[in-house]
Amino acid sequence: PKVGQQNLLQGFSTGTHKIVARKKNFYDWAAEVAVEPGKTSSVKIVLKPLIDPEMLLIEEGIFEMGNNSGDGDQRPKHQVFITAFEISKTEVTNQLYKKFVDETGQAPPQGLGYGWHANQYPIGHDDFPVVFVSWNDAVAFCKWLSQESGSVYRLPTEAEWEKAAKLKSTPEAANQINDKFLSAGRVWEWCSDWYDPDYYKLRDRVNPQGPVAGKKMKMMGFDGQTKSLRGGGFGKGQVLLRAAERNQYFPNKSRFDIGFRVVREIKQGASK
């Protein structure tokens, strides 16, 4: 049935009946309806779209974070323990972000040379990563997605992002990441952490969340504290080579080459 379409169902016996409505790419809808002789019962069916991104399970464990051969902010290389989490297979897409824009009134992404028109992204860009979103925009999206889905979504920490990108503790895990942890090859991705180039000297060992505040930076005519970025301009085959690379930008600013992916927290006691 189309939106707003009315359908008359007949032939029900007297009593209470359970009605289930199903549509591809939507959650099932169900309700109980009481049928009485000679009366018509009206039921309004509202289907909610499936909005959960495809996720990859990252098992808990230790990995080596950083790169002693990289830039100064990647040193020193150190071991970190991360509890289990799920991370989205790809960056958040235009198609998914549009649901957020449509339902909340959030301003659509706009930027020099690229933008949405009347809440519509460019034709053919459904599965492209959404860009021109600030860190604040990404956090607002995570809050909305959590409310709509019933799960807890958030931005990944730098440690979670890096572990997912270069996990190789077991052959099975390495194969999963190499085949399924995908990057568009042209965007940086927001992380939850404040950025400090000297943070690794603290060598937080368990679920590092980043510094309590960012180091003030100056660039592109702006100055202030910045949030961490991961990813950048590489394809899937180069993820392992540049997984430790760090970058940063201002949380209230957006750019043509910045998008984001999300983490879904695993409920305590949930079976694997």
Side-chain angles (χ1 to χ4, degrees):
K2 297 180 180 180
V3 176
Q5 180 178 336
Q6 294 184 353
N7 292 274
L8 179 63
L9 302 179
Q10 298 177 316
F12 288 92
S13 59
T14 301
T16 301
H17 298 265
K18 183 177 181 179
I19 296 178
V20 177
R22 292 190 174 97
K23 186 177 180 180
K24 185 179 180 181
N25 295 324
F26 286 79
Y27 289 106
D28 287 354
W29 177 95
E32 290 188 345
V33 179
V35 177
E36 300 180 23
K39 294 185 178 180
T40 300
S41 297
S42 179
V43 178
K44 183 178 181 180
I45 299 175
V46 179
L47 298 179
K48 295 185 64 176
L50 286 167
I51 56 175
D52 293 315
E54 184 176 356
M55 309 298 287
L56 302 174
L57 172 65
I58 309 300
E59 302 280 359
E60 70 174 30
I62 296 172
F63 83 106
E64 291 191 326
M65 186 173 184
N67 181 4
N68 287 335
S69 299
D71 293 338
D73 63 356
Q74 300 174 37
R75 305 178 223 160
K77 190 175 185 178
H78 55 290
Q79 288 191 333
V80 169
F81 175 84
I82 303 292
T83 52
F85 63 97
E86 293 178 314
I87 192 166
S88 57
K89 176 180 176 180
T90 67
E91 298 94 350
V92 171
T93 63
N94 282 317
Q95 188 173 45
L96 179 54
Y97 197 81
K98 175 175 165 54
K99 297 182 187 301
F100 164 60
V101 169
D102 289 343
E103 292 191 16
T104 65
Q106 180 85 2
Q110 295 288 337
L112 185 63
Y114 181 91
W116 293 24
H117 300 281
N119 289 15
Q120 181 58 54
Y121 49 83
I123 295 174
H125 287 202
D126 301 47
D127 295 325
F128 282 37
V130 64
V131 293
F132 280 115
V133 288
S134 69
W135 185 89
N136 294 332
D137 293 334
V139 169
F141 172 88
C142 290
K143 182 178 180 180
W144 168 80
L145 187 60
S146 298
Q147 293 172 339
E148 292 295 309
S149 67
S151 298
V152 177
Y153 285 92
R154 56 174 173 79
L155 294 177
T157 64
E158 284 199 78
E160 289 169 335
W161 195 100
E162 186 172 331
K163 181 177 182 180
K166 69 181 186 182
L167 181 64
K168 50 184 177 180
S169 57
T170 66
E172 293 78 12
N175 288 335
Q176 181 192 53
I177 298 305
N178 289 340
D179 291 341
K180 297 182 179 179
F181 186 87
L182 304 179
S183 169
R186 62 181 180 85
V187 298
W188 291 94
E189 300 173 18
W190 289 115
C191 289
S192 61
D193 313 39
W194 287 107
Y195 175 78
D196 186 333
D198 300 319
Y199 175 61
Y200 284 12
K201 294 177 181 178
L202 299 176
R203 304 190 192 191
D204 285 350
R205 300 295 187 181
V206 180
N207 293 326
Q209 303 295 305
V212 295
K215 185 175 181 178
K216 289 189 176 181
M217 311 293 289
K218 289 185 178 181
M219 58 179 169
M220 305 177 100
F222 305 107
D223 64 86
Q225 297 178 66
T226 57
K227 286 289 186 176
S228 296
L229 295 168
R230 290 304 189 100
F234 56 77
K236 181 177 66 174
Q238 296 179 316
V239 168
L240 291 179
L241 299 179
R242 293 182 55 184
E245 189 167 339
R246 305 176 70 200
N247 204 339
Q248 27 85 37
Y249 202 54
F250 303 101
N252 62 338
K253 305 293 183 184
S254 63
R255 225 167 58 193
F256 73 97
D257 61 346
I258 298 178
F260 67 103
R261 72 178 72 216
V262 295
V263 156
R264 182 167 65 202
E265 295 186 356
I266 297 176
K267 297 178 182 179
Q268 293 186 352
S271 59
K272 296 180 182 179

